[in-house]
Structures are given as structure tokens and as C-alpha cells.
Amino acid sequence: MKKRSNTSKLYIPEPLFRPGDKPDFSNIKVPTEHSPSRPDPMVDAYKTEHMATGLVRVLKLDGTAHGDWNPNLSPEFLKQALRHMMMTREVDTRLFAAQRQGKLSFYMKSAGEEAIAVAAAMALDDKDMVFPTYRQQGILMARGWPLKNLMCQCLSNEGDPLEGRSIPVLYSVREKGFFSISGNLGTQMIQAVGWGMACAYKGSDEIAIAFTGEGATAEGDFHYALNFASTYRAPVILNVVNNQWAISSFQGIAAGQSKSFASRGLGFGLASLRVDGNDFLAVYAAVKWAAERARNGGGATVIEHFTYRKEGHSTSDDPTKYRPRSEPDAWPFGDPIPRLAEHLIELGEWDIDQHRTLREELKTIVRDTYKEAEALGTLATPSTINPATMFEQVFEEVPTHLRRQRQELGI
Amino acid sequence: MAKMNMIEAIRSAMDVKMTEDPDVLVFGEDVGYFGGVFRCTAGLQEKHGLHRCFDTPIAEGGIVGVAVGMAAFGLRPVVEIQFADYIYPAYDQICSEAARLRYRSAGQFFAPLTIRTPVGGGIHGGQTHSQSPEALFTHISGLKTVIPSNPYDAKGLLIKAIEDNDPVLFLEPKRLYNGPFDGDPHKPAISWAGHELGEVPDGHYTVDFEQARLMREGSELTILCYGTMVWVAMSAVKATGVDADILDLRSLLPLDLESIIKSVNKTGRVLVLHEATRTSGFGAELIAEIQQHCFYALEAPIVRVTGWDTPYPHALEWEYFPGLERVSDAITRMMET
């Protein structure tokens, strides 16, 4: 008998660059042709294959807009978008600094990813429920949640709408269609599908939109979400924000040999798009397309937003320990904020002075609002939250055993 | 009033609620057209429509995850996990999501869903059709866990669970689906037909949570049990002639501690019974509460008769299951101390 051989080797994907390396992303092709063309939103899901592996783009790096995905938005609308994105970054900068000052326990920036959250929010109706991760704070800016509420949540002070129960950033804002964020990754993807199924069951024209990072696509809930969304043709948009990094793990650990995260949708019979996530216009157009498909009964769309996490995972993370310090600057798709600003300048609707003035205005708003929020307490000051609230809302009513435990605490 | 077995009572509860409330949806693996592997949802799809009672992919985490989203929207999903032994893929959605949603969102969102699942052994189900995982859920704050022992309670508790605004895990002892079982596999099977607790009202009624049922009133011993073990206890008391209080707890969380304390203060002796494995089982919680609240009333150490700390075996089922003989022996020994 012939001896069988096994020549397979255990393969462990590694990122291209580690600390000390000079990052060179010339392997990543930045498309200059602004295709693929935009099909009818009710197109057969399998006919989206070229979009799932290609890259939907509108804005070139020179700020000019091209192709039939261009949503042709008004300059006023684009200025609003720019404002929301810049506000998101200012708030992130301020709260990151506050964490370093010991005023709050933890924070997570979304630097480099602002276009995705803001464009998605602006492409949808405010009543469409968003199932976010911890890195879509731009949605709250776009939907006009008072900054002070956001800051008080992070400070866990007496202005915190969540009564100090959650760590910073895990917001919940039902009035703004922003579902309660969970620390457990992936869980909200399948919940969004359930919400979408409920919308369809009730004959509502609302849809649900969910986000995950590319790292958490490896969770079972991602698989559940795509499968159930497909089975029940749920009106949902399932977004994968591929920012290349899941804490210290590069996207290859989650992706395996897959060409794109969007292409995973195709296997489930879902329309799938891969989008330049640093291109506000492309993200807006893609979400609009998917929303139209969902509202017209075409079911779910998977959108991969190709972007880059410019900063550390969180205030507890130091990215220079696992990737080159200069890698964010080498990223070939630029930064979503200057890219949109360039576009407005290109349109003759914006200039450097206006940009600088807006930035100063937002800085002032953020600084003043932060002062108001901080006046209601910080992590460094004794908590004024009534300890009795700790036992409330575990259940609808406080049951006997929790009443007893509350008494044990002497309240 | 109609005669119902536990399957029919459970089905009737869902039928009543689906008729009353268009927001009640029933789904799970094989629950739609086929009517469930235990027939608990038979006829519901035909009567209420495809949209109200439907089949799902085989994905427990998906079933509960979808239900959390629907419940947060405002529907009242009643989902089935085919066997409690297969609930673990949904554990994250139950514990991290359904049970915490109200708390973490300060009441903005909550999940009024019911998770039905068959539990318990005594049916030659082996390792993965026999488990009693209740203690893994009573440890979770924000979740209610109930377990009926008869058709009347099954229907009333299930309607209560569906109407409750908190997530409820509804455990169905499958050994009791067709009749009470006293733990002696050699006796012929008994049906619910002749039993008073098989008399079930056709329409709407509820059985409150946090209310144990005093199955039998006595003065010498308190037996705390639930599910199939209620009937083992009844039989063992008869066999030993001991005059015992038998409390069917029905609702494990919230727990009717008041009835337990009252009984133990009267009898001074406690036997705790459950099918689940012993270490860190729900019995440990009962014993801890009793020793704290009834320390001066106790006349003997609290004894627990439980499943062994092993996976549930197939061939050795009757050496594993805490049946009539083991329970009777324990009672006899206890009364001698």
C-alpha cells in the first residue's frame, strides 16, 4: 500500500508590516476608474458579485466626484455632513484627553471612520433603528443627540441617561433610533435582523441597520444574521466596517483567504457591496441603495466599508506595539474629513478659512459643553448617583430578593 | 374545563395568547408546519397563519437573537429550543442580551420574550436529551426561570410568561408531557387523563410566578422540588409514610422564599430534590437560603438528592436518575436523625 503523505502546513496569517517596518501599501490598488456602475436596487443578489469584490467609489483623491454612484447631494447637505464628521472627531479628541486626565475610565475614538457612521445616518430616516457597535458615535452627531448627554454617559455622572450602569461609549438612545450598545461583540447583528423582521411583520416602512467590525464577523452571530436575513428576506442593512484591525489582530486573521468581507454576503444570497469607507459620497450612495432595496421588499444588503482605524483600539491600547507608527499615514485612501472638504472646495463651496473657522467653532462648542457636563461630576469626584438605582430595571419591577439585597446595602 | 396533557396545555396557552394578541409570534426548529417534535405547536400555523408560527434555521443563537430584536421592537416572541441540551449556543443572547437589555438601557429597551425548552431525563435521552440546566440560568440576573410539573400549571405559567415584560425561560419536563412519573420505570405509564391537574380551563388564566404550590401538607419534613421530581416526592412520601410538606417551587427565579421558610419553620427538616447535577446546582441556593433564614428551626442537616456530578448516561439511566428508591431511602434516613 502506498504511504499517504500530508504536505499541508499550518498557516498563520501575518500582517504585512510590524513595528519598525516601513509600511508600503502599493499592493492595495486604489481604483481610478469609477466603476462598477450602479444597478437597480432590486437587482438579483447574485448580480452584485462584481461590487462585492470591487470597490464602489465616487470621490477621487483630488476631490472630484465621478460615476453613476454619485448621489449629487446639495452643497448645504455636504456641509452638514462635514460638520457632523468634524464634530465627531472633536468630541473624540476631547473625551480621549479627559480619559488621560482621569476624568473618565475609558474611551474609544472613531478617527478615520467618521464618514461611515455619518453618511449611513444621513442616508436613512431617523426612525430606522441602528444597531451600532461602539465605533459609530458619528450617528449620534448626525441625528442630533445632545452632546452633553453623550459626555455625561462617558463621565458616568448624574447627567448620565444610563444612570452610571455602563462603561463609557456604550450608549443607548432609543429616541434617536440608536439601539443599546452591548459589550458582547456581534450580538446586535442578529437582533437587527429580528427588528427588521418585526418591521416587515407589522407592515411598517421602517428598516434596521446593523454594524460590526471586520474582526467580529468571525462571531457566530454574524453567520446567524446573514442566514436569517436571507431566509426571511428581512429589511436590514448589515454593515461590516473593515478598518483593518481588531485590537492587535490584522484583518487577515478574521478574513482568512477571503477576497472581501462583502463577498460573504453572496454565499447567503444577499446583495453585497464593497465601498470606499473614507468616501462620504460612496457610503451615502451605498446605504441609500440598500435602504431602497430593503424598503421595496428586496431584503438585506451586506456592505463592507473599506477603511482604516487611524488610532488605537481604545484608551487601553497602544497600537505602536503591533503596527508601524507611520502606518495610518501610509494608508492609501486618505482621511474622510479632508476628502469631503476637498470635494466642497472643488465645487467652489468651501475654502481653507471656512474650514478653519468651522473647526474653531466646533472646538468651542465641545469645550463649553464638556465643561457643563463635567460640572455634573466625573469619575474622579464622588458619585452622586443614588445607589438604590443599582437594583432597579433588572426586572420591570424590583422582585423580593432584590428588595432584600437593597436593604442589606442599607438603602 | 377540558382534559389536557401537558403538551396540549402548552399548546393551548400559545393558542390563547396568539388569539388575543397579534404581537405574539411562535417560532423555532420544526415548530411550524410540522407542529414541533413534541407536538406542542401542532395546528398553530394552520390556525393562525404562516407569519405567526414558523420554522427557523437550525441555529439556537439565531433564534434567540432574532427574538431579542423582535421583542425590543414590541412583539412578544415565544421561541422554542428543541431540547434544553441545545440551548448553549443561545447562552450569550440570553445572558448578555435578553437578560441585560432593560438594565443597560435604563429601561429604554426591554425584551419580553419567552423561551420554551424541554428539560430533564427519564426518557433514555442520554447525554444530550436529558439535561437540567436550570442553575445556569437562575444565576443570571434579569432572567426569570419557571418550570411546571402538571398541565394546569403549565398553561397558566406559560400565559403568565408570555404576558410578562421580562424575558422568561420556560422549562418543560418532557418526562411529564404525557403523564406524571414517579421515578419508577418499571411501573406502567400513567396518563394525565384521570388526574385533577389534567383538568385545564380552555380559555385565559394565569399562574403567578414566585408562588410555590403546596402539593401535600405535612408536619414532619419539608420536601423542596420541581418538575418531574415533584411526582417522585409524592410517591416516596406515600411509600415511606412520612408526613411531609411537598412544595413544588414552580418558579425558581423569582423564588417563593416565604412559603419555603414557613414550611421549614414548621417541620424542622428539609429534603431538596432535583434531577440536575449536584455541585453548584439550584439545590445549593435553596440550602443556603434556608440555613440563613431557618437556622434555629433546623433539627437535622439539610439533605439533597440530585443527579450525580456526571454527564447524563444512557444505559445507566436508572442508577443516575434520583428515583423513587433513592428518594425514599433519603427520607427514611433523615427521619432517623
Side-chain angles (χ1 to χ4, degrees):
Chain A
M1 220 166 94
K2 200 178 159 198
K3 190 174 180 288
R4 293 197 303 178
S5 68
N6 181 352
T7 56
S8 70
K9 296 272 183 288
L10 180 63
Y11 176 70
I12 313 292
E14 267 286 272
L16 287 169
F17 315 110
R18 286 297 193 188
D21 295 337
K22 188 174 158 39
D24 172 8
F25 287 110
S26 55
N27 66 309
I28 295 177
K29 189 169 159 283
V30 179
T32 49
E33 291 304 314
H34 285 249
S35 57
S37 61
R38 181 184 184 275
D40 184 277
M42 294 303 281
V43 68
D44 183 315
Y46 293 107
K47 292 190 175 150
T48 60
E49 186 181 351
H50 61 294
M51 297 192 290
T53 50
L55 195 72
V56 173
R57 295 186 89 211
V58 175
L59 278 180
K60 283 194 181 180
L61 295 176
D62 66 5
T64 55
H66 299 268
D68 60 1
W69 281 95
N70 186 353
N72 296 307
L73 299 167
S74 73
E76 286 318 304
F77 191 90
L78 293 176
K79 285 177 201 170
Q80 269 304 316
L82 186 63
R83 184 186 178 93
H84 296 323
M85 287 160 64
M86 290 169 69
M87 180 66 99
T88 306
R89 195 165 291 185
E90 288 303 329
V91 169
D92 278 358
T93 305
R94 184 68 200 87
L95 291 179
F96 191 96
Q99 193 277 340
R100 290 296 189 248
Q101 293 161 349
K103 300 296 175 73
L104 46 100
S105 64
F106 178 77
Y107 193 71
M108 305 178 95
K109 288 182 168 186
S110 66
E113 303 173 35
E114 294 91 342
I116 299 160
V118 171
M122 292 180 80
L124 293 170
D125 295 346
D126 280 359
K127 60 186 179 170
D128 294 328
M129 184 60 71
V130 179
F131 289 74
T133 73
Y134 44 67
R135 226 185 288 279
Q136 278 79 46
Q137 50 264 56
I139 291 165
L140 293 170
M141 313 297 159
R143 287 189 169 175
W145 195 42
L147 283 185
K148 189 174 163 187
N149 291 356
L150 182 150
M151 291 170 170
C152 286
Q153 194 280 332
C154 289
L155 289 158
S156 273
N157 63 19
E158 66 178 68
D160 178 359
L162 304 183
E163 299 175 349
R165 289 185 189 147
S166 287
I167 58 169
V169 175
L170 300 191
Y171 311 110
S172 176
V173 194
R174 185 164 192 146
E175 66 189 277
K176 295 292 179 189
F178 192 92
F179 194 75
S180 162
I181 300 174
S182 169
N184 298 64
L185 295 187
T187 52
Q188 74 285 355
M189 296 299 279
I190 181 69
Q191 293 166 3
V193 174
W195 187 283
M197 287 169 71
C199 293
Y201 173 75
K202 294 298 272 184
S204 156
D205 66 348
E206 294 164 40
I207 62 173
I209 174 167
F211 288 86
T212 175
E214 90 286 349
T217 62
E219 293 283 2
D221 297 78
F222 181 70
H223 174 91
Y224 301 149
L226 270 58
N227 194 25
F228 278 67
S230 173
T231 299
Y232 302 108
R233 214 171 289 173
V236 295
I237 306 174
L238 300 169
N239 296 277
V240 179
V241 179
N242 177 7
N243 67 14
Q244 316 299 322
W245 291 96
I247 308 185
S248 73
S249 302
F250 90 115
Q251 55 84 25
I253 294 291
Q257 300 304 303
S258 174
K259 272 204 174 4
S260 82
F261 289 93
S263 64
R264 306 211 152 167
L266 293 173
F268 290 89
L270 299 176
S272 305
L273 309 174
R274 190 158 171 269
V275 176
D276 178 351
N278 292 6
D279 173 351
F280 177 87
L281 297 178
V283 174
Y284 180 93
V287 173
K288 203 84 181 161
W289 186 93
E292 192 179 333
R293 181 176 176 86
R295 273 190 243 279
N296 289 334
T301 300
V302 176
I303 306 177
E304 174 184 348
H305 302 271
F306 197 68
T307 185
Y308 186 87
R309 195 192 77 209
K310 284 178 73 124
E311 305 228 10
H313 166 71
S314 71
T315 48
S316 309
D317 179 44
D318 174 4
T320 65
K321 295 280 192 288
Y322 50 81
R323 71 185 191 191
R325 195 178 291 274
S326 60
E327 193 177 284
D329 299 325
W331 187 246
F333 289 87
D335 182 306
I337 291 175
R339 279 183 66 189
L340 184 58
E342 281 294 327
H343 177 56
L344 275 163
I345 291 168
E346 174 69 27
L347 293 174
E349 295 284 347
W350 201 241
D351 60 40
I352 302 290
D353 282 343
Q354 280 173 293
H355 198 77
R356 199 174 295 135
T357 307
L358 175 59
R359 189 149 177 232
E360 288 310 312
E361 185 202 335
L362 297 177
K363 257 192 199 317
T364 306
I365 293 171
V366 168
R367 192 185 58 222
D368 293 350
T369 312
Y370 180 76
K371 273 186 192 155
E372 285 175 39
E374 206 188 66
L376 295 175
T378 75
L379 190 69
T381 55
S383 177
T384 52
I385 295 168
N386 179 357
T389 63
M390 179 162 63
F391 300 95
E392 290 163 9
Q393 291 170 320
V394 177
F395 298 94
E396 184 177 32
E397 282 160 26
V398 182
T400 320
H401 70 287
L402 283 180
R403 279 205 305 275
R404 227 182 301 124
Q405 288 174 29
R406 192 172 62 195
Q407 283 159 9
E408 262 182 59
L409 191 59
I411 44 180
Chain B
M1 281 295 204
K3 289 200 184 307
M4 294 188 198
N5 62 26
M6 208 144 125
I7 292 166
E8 292 159 337
I10 287 163
R11 184 193 305 152
S12 174
M14 286 185 274
D15 185 29
V16 165
K17 284 315 296 174
M18 290 174 90
T19 304
E20 281 179 4
D21 183 353
D23 289 341
V24 173
L25 302 187
V26 170
F27 53 93
E29 296 158 17
D30 303 295
V31 308
Y33 184 86
F34 179 60
V37 297
F38 290 107
R39 318 308 300 151
C40 287
T41 56
L44 294 180
Q45 184 180 83
E46 194 179 12
K47 181 171 176 187
H48 298 283
L50 200 55
H51 290 80
R52 303 287 307 283
C53 176
F54 54 86
D55 294 322
T56 63
I58 303 173
E60 291 76 13
I63 293 167
V64 176
V66 151
V68 172
M70 282 182 174
F73 180 91
L75 302 184
R76 291 192 174 269
V78 182
V79 301
E80 177 179 306
I81 301 297
Q82 204 161 76
F83 288 88
D85 313 62
Y86 304 132
I87 203 165
Y88 309 119
Y91 201 62
D92 191 30
Q93 285 288 343
I94 297 170
C95 304
S96 312
E97 302 296 318
R100 302 241 196 92
L101 189 53
R102 183 192 295 279
Y103 193 71
R104 75 169 195 238
S105 72
Q108 293 172 14
F109 298 94
F110 55 96
L113 72 124
T114 304
I115 303 165
R116 292 179 39 241
T117 190
V119 290
I123 59 149
H124 282 302
Q127 294 181 36
T128 58
H129 300 82
S130 308
Q131 296 170 29
S132 297
E134 63 271 13
L136 297 176
F137 295 95
T138 53
H139 192 58
I140 302 303
S141 45
L143 180 69
K144 293 175 178 171
T145 298
V146 302
I147 176 167
S149 72
N150 59 77
Y152 180 91
D153 287 350
K155 179 171 174 181
L157 282 170
L158 182 51
I159 291 179
K160 184 80 185 165
I162 297 170
E163 293 175 349
D164 198 283
N165 283 327
D166 294 312
V168 180
L169 180 66
F170 187 84
L171 305 174
E172 302 171 4
K174 54 190 165 303
R175 191 62 182 79
L176 301 179
Y177 271 155
N178 291 301
F181 174 66
D182 73 357
D184 182 348
H186 306 297
K187 283 188 196 157
I190 313 165
S191 86
W192 286 111
H195 201 285
E196 58 172 359
L197 290 171
E199 293 285 336
V200 179
D202 287 312
H204 180 283
Y205 70 95
T206 57
V207 169
D208 280 346
F209 296 163
E210 207 175 330
Q211 294 285 319
R213 178 192 270 279
L214 189 57
M215 296 293 293
R216 184 195 183 283
E217 190 158 9
S219 58
E220 301 178 287
L221 171 68
T222 296
I223 302 181
L224 302 179
C225 49
Y226 48 90
T228 306
M229 295 309 291
V230 169
W231 302 103
V232 178
M234 292 289 277
S235 202
V237 162
K238 210 169 163 187
T240 55
V242 170
D243 188 28
D245 258 3
I246 299 181
L247 280 175
D248 173 0
L249 300 176
R250 298 198 289 199
S251 159
L252 304 186
L253 191 92
L255 180 69
D256 181 5
L257 194 57
E258 203 178 310
S259 295
I260 295 171
I261 293 169
K262 196 174 144 211
S263 174
V264 176
N265 282 340
K266 174 179 69 176
T267 65
R269 283 184 161 79
V270 188
L271 177 63
V272 172
L273 304 179
H274 58 61
E275 288 182 59
T277 50
R278 181 170 302 169
T279 303
S280 300
F282 190 67
E285 179 61 30
L286 292 172
I287 293 166
E289 289 288 351
I290 292 164
Q291 76 80 27
Q292 185 186 340
H293 292 279
C294 311
F295 186 72
Y296 294 105
L298 289 173
E299 291 169 22
I302 302 168
V303 172
R304 52 182 161 164
V305 179
T306 67
W308 307 119
D309 281 340
T310 71
Y312 201 107
H314 186 235
L316 297 176
E317 171 137 56
W318 303 115
E319 283 72 29
Y320 179 92
F321 187 93
L324 184 56
E325 205 179 304
R326 269 175 66 198
V327 174
S328 299
D329 284 354
I331 291 174
T332 308
R333 276 201 313 274
M334 280 185 80
M335 297 317 291
E336 286 163 2
T337 42

